[in-house]
Amino acid sequence: MYEMVSDSFKELNSFITKEHDLRICILDNNNVQFCTQHEKYFPVDKIYGYYDLILVPGWVYAEIAQSEHLLQYISSIPQQLLYLDEETDYLPLVDYHDLKLMKVFANASSPGSKPHRYLKKQIQEAESGRVDIDDEWIGNYYKNGFDSKEEGIIKKNAGETSILALAFLLVHHYGNKIKQISISTSDFAVVEIKKKIMDYSSKHNLLNVPTINPISFLSTDVLLARAFRMGMIGETELIYLRKSTHRKRVICIVRNNDSTVVPVDTVMETEDFLQLLKGNESYDIIF
């Protein structure tokens, strides 16, 4: 493939290579929508001021761009904000190895899903040598591998795949330049898919990503717990905001005094979630 370098990738590469211990946040449409709807509780400086760099993949931007209000919200983020195009900005992160990127994309989607099946076939044909990889394969993947919604402008689960692929590609390419990558999403599917990518990468030596890696999740429950701790919201606001998300499942750990931990992955009603935050136990909300 022709090694085209876009202006957005040049800007990304310049920013990361001259820094160290970078804290990066990758946005998903669902959390942007939640924060925008409740902006008085989640002002951009409080939510994103912790990070050095905010990234928005192209297919996430396509969803955000459906609302002028959402665009205005993310445009007001005070940190460095970059939009990355999957067709031009992902390949440089694997040194233009098309087959490697194909496998990253394939594992960044649910097993058995349409996107996964689409790329699995492409990968098999490329590895057999029967078919050369087309220069337009990334665009064709997003065009033909995902089901359309909203008059074909938006592709179902395309943003999720783009986010997970980008997070792993950044760690692979930039290594210890990056201290933390927080994926700002409330889509539980990303938790299992992240495990799937790690398992495949470790088994097949796909990416240079350590087992203990810097990829975490900034879900709405994480946002609510942080806002409650910081005094940005009280009990009444927390109950209202969490119930508005229709969230019930929680992934967290509760720490004991003897340094052991209790892992929790369960349905938790909002009143019980509040009691966890108010209690004396030391806890970390994972998702």
Side-chain angles (χ1 to χ4, degrees), residues 7-229:
D7 289 339
S8 56
F9 182 80
K10 289 177 183 176
E11 194 170 356
L12 171 75
N13 193 57
S14 174
F15 188 91
I16 293 181
T17 53
K18 70 182 181 183
E19 301 290 340
H20 58 87
D21 291 338
L22 277 171
R23 294 172 296 194
I24 298 172
C25 183
I26 305 176
L27 301 187
D28 193 4
N29 177 62
N30 52 33
N31 271 21
V32 171
Q33 191 169 16
F34 173 76
C35 290
T36 303
Q37 289 172 345
H38 307 290
E39 187 172 357
K40 68 176 181 178
Y41 303 116
F42 302 103
V44 290
D45 58 329
K46 295 291 186 182
I47 301 305
Y48 303 110
Y50 171 83
Y51 303 101
D52 304 299
L53 178 63
I54 312 295
L55 299 177
V56 182
W59 281 99
V60 174
Y61 178 80
E63 294 186 67
I64 292 173
Q66 300 302 298
S67 166
E68 188 62 34
H69 195 189
L70 300 187
L71 278 178
Q72 289 174 356
Y73 181 81
I74 66 169
S75 296
S76 65
I77 294 174
Q79 313 312 109
Q80 177 74 50
L81 174 67
L82 293 177
Y83 303 100
L84 299 178
D85 188 310
E86 291 86 351
E87 293 188 54
T88 58
D89 299 329
Y90 281 36
L91 267 172
L93 295 171
V94 287
D95 297 323
Y96 297 91
H97 292 161
D98 292 87
L99 189 57
K100 184 183 288 286
L101 183 57
M102 271 190 180
K103 292 179 179 179
V104 173
F105 276 139
N107 284 280
S109 58
S110 298
S113 64
K114 182 178 178 179
H116 183 81
R117 294 195 310 271
Y118 178 91
L119 273 189
K120 185 176 180 181
K121 180 180 179 183
Q122 302 283 320
I123 290 167
Q124 289 173 343
E125 290 178 344
E127 287 185 326
S128 70
R130 294 193 304 268
V131 178
D132 291 332
I133 297 175
D134 189 275
D135 283 352
E136 307 299 322
W137 74 265
I138 300 174
N140 290 334
Y141 165 57
Y142 280 97
K143 179 181 178 181
N144 302 315
F146 294 84
D147 290 326
S148 299
K149 57 181 181 178
E150 297 183 23
E151 300 179 355
I153 300 172
I154 308 301
K155 296 290 186 176
K156 186 178 179 181
N157 297 326
E160 168 193 288
T161 296
S162 294
I163 289 167
L164 283 162
L166 178 60
F168 277 90
L169 291 172
L170 289 169
V171 176
H172 167 76
H173 191 74
Y174 293 108
N176 58 16
K177 284 278 184 182
I178 296 172
K179 180 177 182 179
Q180 177 183 352
I181 297 179
S182 291
I183 298 176
S184 181
T185 186
S186 295
D187 187 343
F188 267 104
V190 300
V191 178
E192 292 304 319
I193 296 173
K194 179 194 171 187
K195 294 177 184 176
K196 174 173 167 279
I197 299 173
M198 278 303 307
D199 289 345
Y200 185 92
S201 180
S202 299
K203 184 177 180 180
H204 298 279
N205 196 28
L206 179 64
L207 296 172
N208 184 24
V209 175
T211 303
I212 301 176
N213 59 72
I215 301 171
S216 60
F217 302 106
L218 186 65
S219 68
T220 49
D221 273 351
V222 174
L223 282 170
L224 289 168
R226 180 201 292 180
F228 187 76
R229 258 194 323 266

